[in-house]
């Protein structure tokens, strides 16, 4: 019984390591907070400066600003989806731990009744 409990507790961590190479691509694609901050605050200021200095036209300014907004929105959605997946995985692990604890308590109570 103890071996089963240990196996169940260790499996997610072993599996996580084997899946780590695939997960790094997902993590790399999810924008960092600094990247989003840059897209939302710094890039529009830079773009505005380029427009005001006459380096780009009004149409170019509007098009590039819309591209920045779209990119920032896409990255925010990706981050939210990634966070949701992480929370769901953590919840599944916690539920499994609770299930194992309940079963272990029941087994201990049962063996106590037999021995007692």
């Amino acid at each position: 019984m103890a071996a089963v409990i240990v196996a169940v507790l260790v499996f997610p961590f072993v599996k996580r390591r084997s899946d780590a190479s695939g997960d790094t691509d997902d993590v790399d694609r999810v924008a960092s907070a600094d990247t989003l901050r840059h897209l939302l605050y710094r890039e529009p200021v830079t773009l505005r400066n380029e427009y005001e200095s006459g380096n780009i036209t009004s149409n170019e300014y509007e098009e590039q600003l819309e591209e920045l907004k779209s990119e920032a929105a896409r990255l925010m959605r990706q981050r939210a989806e990634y966070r949701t997946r992480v929370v769901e995985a953590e919840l599944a692990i916690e539920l499994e731990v609770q299930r194992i604890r309940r079963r272990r308590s029941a087994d201990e109570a049962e063996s106590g009744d037999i021995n007692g």
Side-chain angles (χ1 to χ4, degrees):
M1 181 62 153
V4 172
I5 292 172
V6 170
V8 170
L9 289 174
V10 171
F11 179 73
F13 299 105
V14 172
K15 184 173 180 352
R16 190 177 297 159
R17 282 189 189 158
S18 67
D19 292 342
S21 61
D23 288 345
T24 54
D25 292 338
D26 289 341
V27 172
D28 290 342
R29 283 185 273 152
V30 175
S32 69
D34 289 338
T35 302
L36 280 173
R37 210 172 290 115
H38 184 76
L39 276 173
L40 293 171
Y41 300 110
R42 294 183 193 128
E43 283 295 316
V45 169
T46 302
L47 192 58
R48 182 72 180 179
N49 290 339
E50 289 292 312
Y51 170 67
E52 288 176 352
S53 65
N55 292 337
I56 60 174
T57 66
S58 175
N59 288 338
E60 291 172 325
Y61 170 75
E62 293 298 328
E63 288 173 10
Q64 290 179 24
L65 188 59
E66 286 305 312
E67 287 175 17
L68 285 174
K69 289 178 185 177
S70 295
E71 182 67 9
R74 185 184 66 77
L75 292 174
M76 287 189 295
R77 277 191 303 275
Q78 276 184 338
R79 282 176 53 90
E81 290 167 2
Y82 177 75
R83 286 180 179 163
T84 300
R85 286 193 309 268
V86 168
V87 168
E88 288 171 350
E90 289 174 352
L91 181 60
I93 290 169
E94 181 62 29
L95 291 173
E96 185 64 17
V97 168
Q98 288 175 1
R99 185 188 68 76
I100 291 168
R101 286 180 180 159
R102 282 192 304 271
R103 184 163 184 180
R104 187 176 183 188
S105 295
D107 289 347
E108 287 174 356
E110 185 177 297
S111 68
D113 290 343
I114 293 170
N115 294 331

